[in-house]
Amino acid sequence: MTQDTASRILVCTGHTGGHFFPAASFAEAFLAKHPEAEVHMLVSRVTSFAQAYVSRPPFHIHVIPCSTIPSFFSFKMVLFLLEYGVAFWET
């Protein structure tokens, strides 16, 4: 990477500690080698530990709310797809 352009990375992770902390460790290791970079964390839900962890720069947190996938042929599936599509678009 050149010094005149800041890079951005997107790290996707789940909301539990077993998924979040390995992803955060990767992001920190990346920042150690590229301190000018911005890190964007994409999570399925914001927990208290995730919010405290990424509340400082250069971390940015983005949420895509996820719920359990309902049975395929149901009205709940239509609502799920709409919710997921809107969340993805807003992110």
Side-chain angles (χ1 to χ4, degrees):
M1 281 182 241
T2 62
Q3 294 296 340
D4 58 337
T5 59
S7 59
R8 287 177 275 185
I9 64 166
L10 176 66
V11 180
C12 302
T13 182
H15 65 277
T16 62
H19 294 106
F20 180 80
F21 286 113
S25 295
F26 165 78
E28 284 188 349
F30 185 86
L31 282 172
K33 290 193 173 238
H34 308 285
E36 75 285 355
E38 284 183 15
V39 175
H40 294 264
M41 302 286 287
L42 184 63
V43 296
S44 56
R45 188 179 319 149
V46 177
T47 57
S48 58
F49 61 81
Q51 185 63 44
Y53 194 87
V54 298
S55 63
R56 62 192 199 285
F59 290 100
H60 304 280
I61 193 163
H62 306 278
V63 179
I64 291 186
C66 294
S67 55
T68 306
I69 298 176
S71 61
F72 188 73
F73 295 107
S74 69
F75 183 68
K76 288 183 178 181
M77 177 56 92
V78 174
L79 294 177
F80 170 80
L81 291 173
L82 286 172
E83 175 190 14
Y84 191 79
V86 168
F88 187 79
W89 182 259
E90 288 177 351
T91 301

